[in-house]
Structure formats: structure tokens, C-alpha cells
Amino acid sequence: MARLIPVADPADPRLADYTRLRDVNLRKSLEAEHGLFMAEGEKVIRRAIATGHPVRSVLAAHRWVEPLSDVLGDAPVYVVDDAVAEAVTGFPVHRGALASMERLPLPSVGTLLPGVRRILVLEDLVDHGNVGAIFRCAAALGVEAVVLSPRCADPLYRRSVKVSMGAVFAVPYARMTDWHGGLAELRAAGFTLLALTPDQSATPIGKAPLGERVALMLGAEGDGLSSRWLREADEPVCIPMSGDAMDLGVDSLNVVAAAAIACHELMRPGVL
Amino acid sequence: MARLIPVADPADPRLADYTRLRDVNLRKSLEAEHGLFMAEGEKVIRRAIATGHPVRSVLAAHRWVEPLSDVLGDAPVYVVDDAVAEAVTGFPVHRGALASMERLPLPSVGTLLPGVRRILVLEDLVDHGNVGAIFRCAAALGVEAVVLSPRCADPLYRRSVKVSMGAVFAVPYARMTDWHGGLAELRAAGFTLLALTPDQSATPIGKAPLGERVALMLGAEGDGLSSRWLREADEPVCIPMSGDAMDLGVDSLNVVAAAAIACHELMRPGVL
């Protein structure tokens, strides 16, 4: 049985986990300090719970509690009206319950790799929505794990979780501790490192050498992969662009579209 | 020479084109009534002008005027400070100039098709960002035209234009006037109609029959293609998903990722 606790004061300290959800800097420090993250909506909360994340608490209007009551255990459920929810979080919470969940310890890169043959490596992506969308692609298409550079945006940030539709819980990931040496560890584990680049002189992704273990490297929005990582790759690969498009100045895909195509190619039939 | 006109009053009627840019309903009626659209930032404004869209006016802080002065002709440039810009538009305008541009007459579907071999058909997409992102994919990958269902979101809405990076000016498009009969016109023009569906019993997109002329149909976020359009298609096609993903409940790609993969497959080497 969920423990329903009506709360009428937005300043109630029990609601502190839900403070100002649109304030990125505040949220980063608050979530790091308390080891928590936010899950929004029934579907995503269910997936977070199903993948073993303990519920710290739930914040919800009364109408959103019942659909979740079978999975909340004895976590406190702070029942608020819409005005209180908005006063605490800083935005109108229409779409359902919010849950404050405990983060699980991340595996190291070394413990992530055994048995895995197709991975993505994300270098310094800054946009949480893009990170979430790439996890969704990876999960849907069967990429088995994701490795993040030390500065890559957090997959458990609220917007990442939401855009991923919960795929951030489905695809195991780890964060490199060392940007300089991180790729060497992947190569030592037998991965061929493919660097995705808009450079049209690179090998088309459809013709890339796909060995037993492949790591596809994706760079930041705008800047792409760093020159150091490009140099360290085994092979630069590109998605062939239309010549007309380049004449028109539309010279690239966004990183999510590029990731989708690349994941699809990595998993093409006959290769695995 | 651009005509610089300092404006200090947010209520100045000459700024009416820029009113409340985040108010979707207001903008829809205002833009339809005046036949205008918004372009944001130097790159996008340049692309809009280069593709023949007349400039009605520009709204910009002084620092953003100079970089555009070679292309603005004698259009009025309303020079405002950041507070006035925010008071008019309803949000902080950091990223550069805003231009109010005239829409050009859209071609009919019939005049769009001659000479074109690969098109997308979008049914009732509601998210402007998704429409813009799909145009960006189409442009980058060489899809030659886009046909919109009568209720599909507007490619020239501000967010569509922005997310497309100006690709909405690069890819010709038309809007069907008749949802019931629209596909028949495409078939009569010799297009094979492929309906993209998450249904994994459909033909994998990589094995789809790609004839001389192919129209790939994409449905709305969430609901997908209508059952009527699915029935009218020549062949349902799918992007193969990972079995593990489906076990985990991550059972689909978002429409932009799906469109990217599908466009890439439509244009694969050896087919055209």
C-alpha cells in the first residue's frame, strides 16, 4: 500500500527533492548530492522501478496516484494540488506523477564490456534531450551498451529520462573516468573504433568493416568528435549526404538522426 | 542599405509581426492572415532570402544587424534593446535577429511531382520540431520533396524552421487538399506507396521494393499512420527492432529517428 500524505505547503521540506525542476544548475548539484533522479509519468516510473531503482518518494495530484499504487511499495506519496506542484517544481505538472528515485551505482567501463559486441561511445554531448533520444535509438535497435565521456550529459537528468521513454534504464552504460585513455581501454577489449563524422571522404557507414566487437563514436552537437578522438579511431565513417543538399547549405544531420542511422547500420542483418 | 529604425515602445504597431512568438494559437492565425513566417538567426535568415522569400521586416538588437546588412535590401530593420525584444516576443531573444518573411505560394501536389523520384508523405504530424527535423533529414539525405496531409503541422512555423536549420526552404513541399483522395493522386503518378509502421511483421525497410518512384509515408507521433492510409499503401515496411528492446518495453523509435533511417534506406547506393 502506498502511503498517501497530503501536503499543502510548497515550502514543506519533504518536497525538497522536487525543487525547481527547470533550474539545470540547481538540479545537477541537488541530484548529485542526494544520489537521486526524477522519473515522470506512469510508464517511465514503472520502468524505473522494474529495473531496480528504489523510490524515495512520489509527488502527484490525487488522480495520478491510483494507477501507480501497485508498484509504489511503502514509499511516501506526497499528494498535492496542481498549484502546489507548480509552486515547487516551477512548471505546470499536467502529465502525471513525479517520482524521486535512487540512482544505482554505475558499473565501470571494464565491468560493462564483457559479452557486449555493439556499443556507442558519446563524447561530450551537452543536450539532455539528445542523450535521451540516442538511448532510445540504442535500445530499440539493439545496441547493447553506451559509454559516456567524462563530460557527457547525464542520462538520468529529467529531460534525458523523459525523451528516452525510459530507455536509459534498459541500456547499460558507464562513464569513462579518463578522456585521454578511455578509448585505449575499449581497443584493448577488442573493439574496432568507428568515428562518425560528417566528412564525406570517410568510409560510408554501410561499407564500414564490422568485426566481432564495434564501438561507434558520436561527437558533440555542432563540434563533432574532438580531433584527438578522431585520430585515435580505427576508421572514420560517414553517412552519405546528398550533393544537392550540400549545395543548398544543408550539410548535416542532427546527432540523433545520425545516431539512428548508424545504429541501424551497426545491427544490419547478416553482420551479427 | 538596410533601413535602421530604432524602436523603444514594445506596443509600437510596426512590431506587430513579432507578437508573442510562443503563443501557438495566436501565431497560427496571425501568420495565416498576413502570409508571413518567422526566421531566426543569421544562417536561417540568409537561407530564407536566398530561396526567394521577401523580407517584410527585421527585429534585432543593434549587434545583430551588421552581419546581415548585405542581404536585407531596403527592408525596415527595427532596432530594439533586449528588454523591448522580450516584451514583444514573450521570450529572451539572445540568438540573433528575427525576420518576418513573406510566404511564397505553395505548389499543388500535381505540380510538385514531375521529375521527382523519392518523396516523404507526412500524415498529421503535430509537433513542429519533428516536422522541421524530418525536413532536415530529407534535405541532407537527398529526398526530393515532401507531401503533407491536410492537417500536418506547418513547416514554416517558427520552431519547424529553426529545427530544420532552414531545410524547409531547401526541400520543395505541397499540402494535399484532400486526405481521402490524396494517396490516389500519388499512385496515379507512378509512386509505390510504402507505409512505415512499427509492426514487425511488415517488410524490413532494407528489403522493401524500391521502384523508380517511391513515396514513404510517415504517421503521427504516438498514433502512427491512420488505418485508412495503411490499407491504401502498396506495402507496409518496418525498421527491425531488437527483440530485447521489446522485452524491455522500449518498442519504438521516435518519428524523427525512424524517418532518418527510412530516408537513408530510400537513398541507398545502387538503388537510384
Side-chain angles (χ1 to χ4, degrees):
Chain A
M1 276 303 295
R3 282 194 288 134
L4 304 192
I5 304 165
V7 179
D9 176 6
D12 190 308
R14 292 172 296 181
L15 307 188
D17 282 6
Y18 303 92
T19 305
R20 300 213 303 275
L21 292 177
R22 287 193 171 156
D23 181 335
V24 178
N25 289 328
L26 170 75
R27 294 305 306 183
K28 280 184 182 171
S29 58
L30 185 152
E31 295 185 9
E33 186 180 340
H34 297 287
L36 64 87
F37 69 93
M38 281 289 127
E40 287 176 278
E42 182 186 345
K43 202 167 184 179
V44 168
I45 292 170
R46 283 184 179 275
R47 286 179 186 170
I49 294 171
T51 46
H53 298 83
V55 182
R56 289 165 59 93
S57 67
V58 171
L59 178 79
H62 199 275
R63 65 189 180 281
W64 300 116
V65 176
E66 173 57 29
L68 278 166
S69 57
D70 60 311
V71 291
L72 294 180
D74 64 351
V77 178
Y78 301 118
V79 180
V80 296
D81 66 23
D82 289 347
V84 171
E86 181 163 355
V88 176
T89 64
F91 70 97
V93 181
H94 305 301
R95 299 254 181 110
L98 287 166
S100 175
M101 316 279 304
E102 282 180 30
R103 290 173 184 249
L104 302 176
L106 276 190
S108 67
V109 172
T111 54
L112 185 72
L113 299 179
V116 161
R117 295 185 297 170
R118 293 289 181 269
I119 67 175
L120 297 182
V121 189
L122 308 185
E123 187 185 25
D124 296 5
L125 270 75
V126 298
D127 183 285
H128 291 104
N130 286 343
V131 170
I134 290 171
F135 268 80
R136 187 172 171 191
C137 290
L141 296 167
V143 169
E144 294 151 295
V146 177
V147 174
L148 310 176
S149 71
R151 293 191 302 186
C152 190
D154 178 11
L156 292 188
Y157 190 75
R158 183 174 65 96
R159 185 161 162 73
S160 314
V161 172
K162 183 174 177 175
V163 171
S164 84
M165 303 285 283
V168 291
F169 313 128
V171 182
Y173 68 94
R175 191 180 285 279
M176 290 178 176
T177 52
D178 172 23
W179 175 76
H180 286 88
L183 293 180
E185 181 175 6
L186 300 179
R187 185 182 285 104
F191 282 89
T192 301
L193 304 178
L194 302 183
L196 191 66
T197 161
D199 179 352
Q200 295 290 299
S201 67
T203 305
I205 178 94
K207 296 177 178 167
L210 300 181
E212 179 65 22
R213 311 191 90 183
V214 178
L216 183 88
M217 299 152 58
L218 296 169
E221 304 89 352
D223 291 339
L225 288 163
S226 64
S227 55
R228 182 188 173 100
W229 275 30
L230 274 172
R231 277 197 312 277
E232 280 199 61
D234 293 301
E235 181 120 5
V237 295
C238 71
I239 293 165
M241 297 288 149
S242 150
D244 287 351
M246 289 192 283
D247 295 345
L248 288 162
V250 181
D251 55 357
S252 69
L253 292 162
N254 77 35
V255 68
V256 175
I261 293 169
C263 290
H264 177 70
E265 288 288 343
L266 283 191
M267 308 309 295
R268 62 181 184 260
V271 171
L272 280 185
Chain B
M1 275 301 296
R3 283 194 288 134
L4 305 191
I5 303 165
V7 178
D9 176 7
D12 190 308
R14 294 173 296 180
L15 306 188
D17 283 7
Y18 304 93
T19 305
R20 300 214 304 274
L21 292 176
R22 286 193 171 157
D23 182 336
V24 178
N25 289 328
L26 170 75
R27 295 305 305 181
K28 280 184 181 170
S29 58
L30 185 152
E31 296 185 8
E33 187 179 342
H34 298 288
L36 63 85
F37 69 93
M38 283 289 127
E40 287 177 280
E42 183 187 345
K43 202 169 185 179
V44 168
I45 292 171
R46 284 184 178 276
R47 287 180 186 168
I49 293 171
T51 46
H53 297 83
V55 182
R56 288 166 59 95
S57 68
V58 171
L59 178 81
H62 199 277
R63 65 188 179 281
W64 300 115
V65 177
E66 174 58 28
L68 279 166
S69 57
D70 61 312
V71 292
L72 294 180
D74 63 353
V77 178
Y78 302 119
V79 181
V80 295
D81 65 22
D82 289 346
V84 171
E86 181 163 353
V88 176
T89 63
F91 70 96
V93 181
H94 305 301
R95 299 254 180 110
L98 287 166
S100 175
M101 316 281 302
E102 284 180 27
R103 291 173 183 248
L104 302 175
L106 278 190
S108 66
V109 172
T111 56
L112 185 73
L113 299 179
V116 161
R117 295 185 295 170
R118 292 289 182 269
I119 67 175
L120 297 182
V121 189
L122 309 185
E123 187 185 26
D124 297 4
L125 270 76
V126 297
D127 183 286
H128 291 104
N130 286 344
V131 169
I134 290 171
F135 268 80
R136 187 173 172 191
C137 290
L141 296 168
V143 170
E144 294 153 293
V146 177
V147 174
L148 310 176
S149 71
R151 293 192 302 188
C152 189
D154 179 10
L156 292 187
Y157 191 75
R158 184 175 66 95
R159 186 159 162 75
S160 314
V161 172
K162 183 175 177 175
V163 171
S164 84
M165 303 284 283
V168 289
F169 313 129
V171 181
Y173 68 93
R175 190 179 287 276
M176 289 176 177
T177 52
D178 173 23
W179 175 76
H180 286 88
L183 293 180
E185 181 175 6
L186 300 178
R187 184 182 286 107
F191 282 88
T192 302
L193 305 178
L194 302 182
L196 192 66
T197 162
D199 178 353
Q200 296 291 298
S201 67
T203 306
I205 177 92
K207 296 179 179 167
L210 298 182
E212 179 65 22
R213 311 191 90 183
V214 178
L216 183 89
M217 300 152 58
L218 296 169
E221 304 87 352
D223 291 338
L225 289 163
S226 63
S227 55
R228 181 187 172 100
W229 277 30
L230 274 172
R231 277 197 312 274
E232 281 200 60
D234 293 302
E235 180 121 4
V237 296
C238 71
I239 295 165
M241 297 287 150
S242 151
D244 286 352
M246 289 192 283
D247 294 345
L248 288 161
V250 181
D251 54 359
S252 71
L253 293 161
N254 77 34
V255 67
V256 176
I261 293 169
C263 290
H264 177 70
E265 288 288 343
L266 284 190
M267 309 309 294
R268 60 181 185 260
V271 172
L272 282 184

